């Protein structure tokens, strides 16, 4: 039986191995045929030569991840273990940097491979589509990019918009005026902003129009320039809405369109403007499309299992 001895240098074994060696237990699941023993700052691994080589490679990737982000958890271990190599797992270096120093010292940065691809795409292109299921961080990463652009004075304002079709609900039945009606509907956007901008400053930005949160209908007839514009939940736009929105783009504008083609709440027989745009704009220079997937879900680990369980029944229907 072959033996491999790995040593942690300049890395705290306690943080790397996790509480009660929980990270080592997760790693063991990916290498069931190896015997893995963690003691002090060393890991001894016994088993087949080929598997040891694979383990050595993955361990190196995990160490590099830890050095870069000072953290290791189930999500990051899974991403390293299921990727084929650094290119598959790492995006350009600049895209892993802190995007925003958020409220109460929170450091906001892209955490997954595809989120980093989204950051890199946005730095390079003025129009980016971010496509993926709920919880993949597409809206949150997008709002962080917008706040970063505003703080760095690359744009003068942020405009966040969603088409007003809510899952099986009609906005007409909500009490209050339009602003109040739209607030609960725009909540995910407010939530992201609240993490990134102190509340008094955010209120001031919203009051003076530096940050505008509005339904899609308010975009008609406006030219959006010097702005970072996010169209969220874009799968619920119609052909006319999407075309209207995309043609509003003015000088020095960044457009980010996010959506999940698997969650369309439009009436039957109405084609999703997002699906159509992905088909017809795929080869247009200056527009990039980033696809996020289940590996980018950073919510509670049960969310992944729920997504998988639903996938199974949706494939059978």
């Amino acid at each position: 039986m072959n033996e491999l001895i790995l040593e942690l240098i300049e890395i705290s074994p306690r943080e790397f191995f996790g509480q009660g060696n929980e990270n080592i237990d997760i790693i063991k699941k990916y290498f069931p045929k190896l015997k893995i023993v963690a003691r002090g700052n060393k890991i001894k691994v016994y088993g087949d030569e080929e598997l040891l080589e694979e383990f050595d490679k993955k361990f190196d990737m995990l160490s590099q991840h830890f050095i870069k982000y000072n953290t290791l958890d189930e999500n990051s271990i899974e991403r390293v273990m299921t990727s084929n190599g650094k290119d598959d797992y790492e995006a350009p270096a600049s895209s892993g940097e802190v995007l925003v120093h958020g409220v109460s010292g929170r450091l906001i940065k892209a955490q997954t491979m595809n989120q980093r691809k989204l950051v890199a795409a946005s730095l390079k292109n003025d129009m980016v589509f971010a496509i993926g299921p709920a919880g993949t961080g597409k809206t949150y990463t997008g709002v962080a990019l917008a706040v970063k652009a505003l703080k760095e004075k690359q744009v003068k304002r942020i405009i966040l918009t969603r088409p007003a079709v809510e899952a099986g609900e009609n906005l007409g039945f909500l009490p209050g005026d339009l602003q109040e009606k739209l607030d609960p509907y725009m909540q995910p956007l407010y939530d992201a902003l609240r993490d990134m901008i102190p509340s008094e400053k955010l209120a001031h930005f919203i009051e003076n129009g530096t940050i505008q949160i509005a339904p899609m209908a308010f975009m008609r007839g406006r030219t959006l320039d010097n702005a970072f514009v996010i169209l969220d939940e874009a799968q619920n736009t119609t052909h006319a809405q999407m075309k209207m929105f995309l043609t509003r783009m003015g000088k020095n504008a960044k457009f980010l369109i996010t959506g999940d083609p698997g969650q369309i709440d439009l009436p039957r027989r109405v084609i999703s403007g997002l699906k159509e745009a992905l088909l017809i704009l795929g080869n247009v220079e200056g527009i990039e499309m980033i696809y996020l997937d289940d590996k980018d879900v950073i919510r509670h680990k049960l969310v992944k299992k729920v997504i998988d369980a639903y996938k199974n029944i949706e494939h059978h229907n």
Side-chain angles (χ1 to χ4, degrees):
M1 191 178 276
N2 301 300
E3 178 188 47
L4 172 70
I5 299 174
L6 298 164
E7 195 174 348
L8 289 177
I9 299 159
E10 293 176 28
I11 291 178
S12 147
R14 202 183 56 193
E15 287 178 38
F16 188 86
F17 295 161
Q19 220 172 349
N21 277 2
E22 62 181 355
N23 289 343
I24 296 296
D25 292 339
I26 296 166
I27 293 167
K28 282 179 179 173
K29 284 183 199 163
Y30 291 93
F31 289 98
K33 290 183 177 163
L34 293 178
K35 183 172 190 265
I36 300 168
V37 184
R39 283 220 185 91
N41 68 337
K42 286 195 174 77
I43 291 185
K44 291 185 179 179
V45 195
Y46 306 92
D48 181 62
E49 183 85 36
E50 252 173 57
L51 280 172
L52 289 181
E53 270 179 37
E54 176 66 12
F55 183 89
D56 192 20
K57 200 169 81 183
K58 295 291 186 192
F59 189 80
D60 185 48
M61 287 163 77
L62 287 170
S63 306
Q64 284 176 28
H65 178 90
F66 187 88
I67 289 163
K68 193 167 179 182
Y69 298 103
N70 292 316
T71 179
L72 199 60
D73 58 18
E74 190 169 356
N75 280 316
S76 47
I77 293 170
E78 183 187 0
R79 286 197 304 276
V80 170
M81 291 300 176
T82 54
S83 65
N84 299 322
K86 205 162 161 54
D87 295 341
D88 192 12
Y89 172 64
E90 280 288 0
S94 61
S95 62
E97 289 166 5
V98 173
L99 297 173
V100 180
H101 291 269
V103 175
S104 63
R106 183 183 290 218
L107 298 179
I108 292 163
K109 52 185 165 187
Q111 302 201 26
T112 71
M113 169 62 189
N114 289 325
Q115 286 174 13
R116 290 201 283 277
K117 278 186 181 166
L118 174 54
V119 171
S122 176
L123 296 172
K124 212 169 67 209
N125 303 279
D126 287 338
M127 187 180 287
V128 177
F129 286 78
I131 309 303
T136 49
K138 50 192 187 300
T139 302
Y140 196 84
T141 306
V143 172
L145 283 165
V147 171
K148 176 178 160 52
L150 184 68
K151 283 187 171 177
E152 293 175 359
K153 298 196 166 39
Q154 292 162 7
V155 295
K156 291 189 177 139
R157 58 204 169 126
I158 294 173
I159 297 169
L160 307 172
T161 184
R162 295 176 113 180
V165 189
E166 198 39 331
E169 291 169 27
N170 187 326
L171 286 172
F173 293 112
L174 294 169
D177 65 11
L178 185 67
Q179 187 60 43
E180 283 168 4
K181 279 183 185 180
L182 286 164
D183 274 355
Y185 177 67
M186 300 289 187
Q187 204 58 49
L189 299 169
Y190 283 112
D191 288 344
L193 285 168
R194 280 194 192 105
D195 279 355
M196 300 174 202
I197 301 172
S199 53
E200 279 176 23
K201 198 169 184 187
L202 179 58
H204 175 66
F205 277 159
I206 289 172
E207 227 166 88
N208 70 11
T210 301
I211 295 179
Q212 299 168 26
I213 303 177
M216 194 114 200
F218 285 61
M219 298 294 142
R220 209 170 284 284
R222 300 176 62 184
T223 301
L224 307 173
D225 50 15
N226 297 312
F228 197 115
V229 188
I230 298 177
L231 168 57
D232 197 30
E233 300 286 344
Q235 72 274 8
N236 290 329
T237 56
T238 61
H239 157 85
Q241 283 176 321
M242 181 60 91
K243 185 181 172 195
M244 178 273 290
F245 174 77
L246 295 178
T247 53
R248 295 287 74 109
M249 192 172 196
K251 291 193 301 285
N252 189 37
K254 285 261 185 200
F255 271 36
L256 176 68
I257 298 97
T258 77
D260 174 6
Q263 289 283 329
I264 295 172
D265 299 319
L266 290 165
R268 274 167 191 263
R269 291 191 294 281
V270 174
I271 293 168
S272 162
L274 177 66
K275 281 191 162 178
E276 188 182 55
L278 294 175
L279 285 172
I280 61 174
L281 300 175
N283 298 321
V284 177
E285 205 178 319
I287 298 178
E288 194 165 344
M289 292 166 184
I290 301 294
Y291 289 86
L292 298 100
D293 57 35
D294 306 351
K295 280 188 203 160
D296 300 293
V297 174
I298 306 191
R299 291 185 182 174
H300 192 286
K301 54 178 175 276
L302 279 175
V303 173
K304 277 198 189 114
K305 293 176 180 168
V306 170
I307 289 174
D308 287 342
Y310 272 98
K311 244 198 207 144
N312 289 338
I313 61 162
E314 282 159 6
H315 284 323
H316 294 315
N317 284 349

